[in-house]
Amino acid sequence: MGNRLKTIKDLDIDGKRVFIRCDFNVPKDEFGNITDDRRIRSALQTIRYCIDRDCKIILASHYERPEPGKYEEKYSLVPVAKRLHTLLKIKRDIFMAEDVIGPDAPQKAAKMEAGDVLLLENLRYEAGETENDMAFAEKLAAYADIYVNDAFGACHRKHASIDAITKFFDADSKAAGFLMGKEVNFFSKVLEDPVRPFVAVVGGSKVSGKLQALTNLLTKVDKVIIGGGMAFTFLKALGYEVGSSLVEDDLIEEATTIMSRAQEMGVKFYLPVDVVAAPEFSENTTVKFLPVQEIPSDWMGLDIGPASTRLFREALNDAQTIIWNGPMGVYEMDRYSKGSMAMSNNIAQTHATTIVGGGDTADVVQRAGDADEMTFISTGGGASLKLIESIALPGLEALK
Ligand code: AMP
C-alpha cells in the first residue's frame, strides 16, 4: 500500500489508443437483464476522461466463468455494451467485438476514430486469460499504447489482462483508472488511520475465505460482529449444538484461536444469540426463531434472529467506522433476508464512516434501499479482503 498508486492522470494519453481493463461482472436476473449496473457506472469516469482526450478506447472485462473456447450467449458482454452506451450518453455506437483477439476484434479496432469505444468480448472465452498466458497478453497489448487497470474487483487475480499484459507497457504507459485509485486509497486510509470505535461486521458462508482477513482485522478494530453461515463454526467451537448448519469442521480450532486472540487484545467479539432455523435449505418449510442454545440437531440456522439484530445494533451504536463484508443469512431467499436487511438499515443509520465490500453485501444494501446512505461501496469483495489482509494484489504490483 505504501507508495502512491499512479493513475491515468499521471500519463500522457492524448489521442492515444488506451486499453482499459474494467470489471463489468454485473449481476443479471433469470431473463438476462442487468439487475445492478453499479460496476458499469463506476467505470464511466475513466472512460469519459479518455473520450475527452480523443483516445481510441478498448475496453475489456471478464464475465462469470464460461468454459474457455465456448462462446455461450449467456456469458456475452453484449448487454453490457448496450447499458454502457445508454450511460455514456454518446451519439456514436459502441463497437462490440464478436471475439477477444480476433478475427473480428482487431478489424473493428483498426477502424476506430478518436473518441470511439470498442468493447472486447468476455476475456474468459479465451483460456489464456486465467492462465496468465504471455502470448495471449501480447495480443491484448497490441490493441493499445496505454494500459489502464480500473478493475479493482479483479486485482487479486493473476490473470493475463491484469498481470501478464503489463509486461508489454513501460512505466509511463500504464496506470490505475480513477475507480481503482479511489478504492485503493479509501481502503488504505481507513485501515491505516480509522476513527474509533472501528467495527468489522463479517458474514457470508465461508470462514475459510475470510479467516486471514479476520485475523488481520483483530489488530485494527475495536469490535467484531459475526453473522451468516460462518457464525456456526464459531458457535460450534464454543460447544453449541448447531445441527445441520453450515460448519467448517476443520476450522473449529482456528475459530477458537481467533476468539481467544480477540479476548487477549481486548477486541469485543459478538456472535448471534438467536437464529432463524429450518429443517431444510428451503423457503417452503417450517421456520422457527430459536436461541442458539436450542437448535435441534437436524435443523439448520439460515439467518440471524431478531435478538441478534438488536444486540448487533447496540454494538454498532457508538461506531465511528464500520466495515461490512458478507450477508447475515441466506438473503437470496426472502424468509432468511431479514437479518441482512436489518443490518443494512442499522449500519446506514449510524453516523459512522461505512464501507461495504463484496458483491453480495453490495446487493443486500441495494435491496435494502440503503446504497445512498453508505459512505463507500466497494465493487471488489475478494480484492478488498486481500487489502484488509495486507496481501499484495497482483494487479497493483503489476502497475509499479
Ligand atoms: P460469501 O460469498 O462467503 O460472502 O457468502 C455469501 C453467501 O453466504 C450468500 O449467498 C448467502 O446465501 C450465504 N449464507 C449466509 N448465511 C448463511 C447460512 N446461515 N447458511 C448458509 N449460507 C449462508
Side-chain angles (χ1 to χ4, degrees):
M1 270 180 250
N3 34 9
R4 199 183 71 90
L5 190 61
K6 196 163 59 173
T7 72
I8 185 167
K9 261 207 147 129
D10 302 312
L11 306 181
D12 171 21
I13 62 163
D14 290 17
K16 294 191 177 154
R17 299 176 303 152
V18 183
F19 181 102
I20 310 176
R21 173 53 158 102
C22 301
D23 179 2
F24 290 147
N25 196 13
V26 289
K28 286 196 221 155
D29 65 17
E30 64 208 279
F31 309 109
N33 301 308
I34 296 171
T35 51
D36 179 2
D37 61 11
R38 191 172 342 100
R39 287 183 176 191
I40 307 177
R41 279 186 280 124
S42 316
L44 296 178
Q45 283 177 316
T46 304
I47 300 172
R48 287 204 178 108
Y49 183 84
C50 294
I51 292 178
D52 290 348
R53 277 154 192 78
D54 293 326
C55 299
K56 294 174 184 169
I57 302 141
I58 291 94
L59 305 177
S61 172
H62 68 287
Y63 186 76
E64 294 186 349
R65 293 167 197 273
E67 199 181 312
K70 247 171 100 178
Y71 277 59
E72 275 180 274
E73 199 190 325
K74 64 176 173 180
Y75 298 116
S76 167
L77 286 174
V78 168
V80 170
K82 289 197 176 135
R83 184 64 60 94
L84 188 60
H85 182 250
T86 312
L87 292 169
L88 272 175
K89 301 192 182 95
I90 46 172
K91 280 215 194 75
R92 274 178 74 86
D93 246 350
I94 287 180
F95 289 79
M96 181 67 218
E98 285 165 21
D99 46 37
V100 184
I101 43 173
D104 185 59
Q107 277 171 16
K108 287 196 169 128
K111 286 191 198 130
M112 291 169 80
E113 291 170 23
D116 277 347
V117 179
L118 167 70
L119 175 60
L120 304 181
E121 255 303 355
N122 188 349
L123 288 164
R124 289 193 188 160
Y125 279 154
E126 297 293 329
E129 170 64 0
T130 49
E131 289 164 3
N132 205 21
D133 181 69
M134 272 294 166
F136 172 67
E138 188 170 14
K139 286 186 185 148
L140 291 179
Y143 284 116
D145 313 302
I146 302 278
Y147 170 80
V148 173
N149 186 339
D150 216 10
F152 178 68
C155 271
H156 55 308
R157 302 215 168 89
K158 224 172 171 150
H159 289 175
S161 65
I162 300 282
D163 182 51
I165 190 171
T166 61
K167 310 285 188 292
F168 301 95
F169 296 88
D170 60 31
D172 298 327
S173 317
K174 58 186 169 191
F178 293 124
L179 171 65
M180 177 129 124
K182 220 162 74 181
E183 303 228 27
V184 172
N185 289 334
F186 201 90
F187 269 102
S188 312
K189 216 168 69 198
V190 163
L191 291 173
E192 276 160 30
D193 191 19
V195 185
R196 294 181 183 281
F198 180 10
V199 185
V201 180
V202 187
S205 56
K206 284 207 182 112
V207 189
S208 46
K210 290 172 188 170
L211 204 62
Q212 198 47 47
L214 259 180
T215 310
N216 213 2
L217 276 171
L218 286 183
T219 64
K220 302 184 197 291
V221 301
D222 303 292
K223 308 183 191 188
V224 175
I225 295 175
I226 304 275
M230 66 186 291
F232 297 101
T233 302
F234 289 93
L235 289 169
K236 189 163 180 186
L238 290 174
Y240 289 103
E241 167 65 75
V242 295
S244 50
S245 306
L246 198 70
V247 167
E248 285 171 86
D249 278 309
D250 48 332
L251 292 179
I252 287 180
E253 222 178 286
E254 298 258 21
T256 309
T257 311
I258 287 184
M259 287 187 284
S260 42
R261 289 225 3 227
Q263 199 167 27
E264 281 158 31
M265 298 169 84
V267 175
K268 321 255 185 332
F269 201 86
Y270 295 86
L271 286 169
V273 290
D274 65 341
V275 295
V276 181
E280 55 181 322
F281 191 85
S282 156
E283 273 195 290
N284 309 314
T285 179
T286 329
V287 162
K288 285 183 187 172
F289 293 167
L290 296 171
V292 291
Q293 288 82 349
E294 295 178 26
I295 304 173
S297 64
D298 48 355
W299 284 47
M300 57 181 81
L302 294 172
D303 192 10
I304 58 170
S308 309
T309 293
R310 287 190 63 179
L311 171 70
F312 293 170
R313 192 180 65 207
E314 295 299 325
L316 287 169
N317 238 341
D318 64 344
Q320 292 294 322
T321 308
I322 302 170
I323 187 162
W324 181 21
N325 187 306
M328 296 291 105
V330 184
Y331 77 96
E332 297 92 336
M333 300 185 197
D334 265 348
R335 275 187 118 171
Y336 311 116
S337 68
K338 290 201 182 68
S340 302
M341 295 298 146
M343 178 55 84
S344 175
N345 295 159
N346 289 337
I347 290 180
Q349 275 165 24
T350 62
H351 298 287
T353 300
T354 49
I355 308 156
V356 176
D360 283 330
T361 324
D363 194 22
V364 169
V365 169
Q366 189 79 24
R367 290 190 198 196
D370 294 324
D372 292 339
E373 308 301 322
M374 303 296 179
T375 314
F376 190 75
I377 300 181
S378 171
T379 48
S384 60
L385 281 175
K386 290 278 183 293
L387 273 189
I388 294 170
E389 290 165 36
S390 304
I391 289 176
L393 295 172
L396 298 186
E397 294 302 304
L399 293 178
K400 283 183 183 156

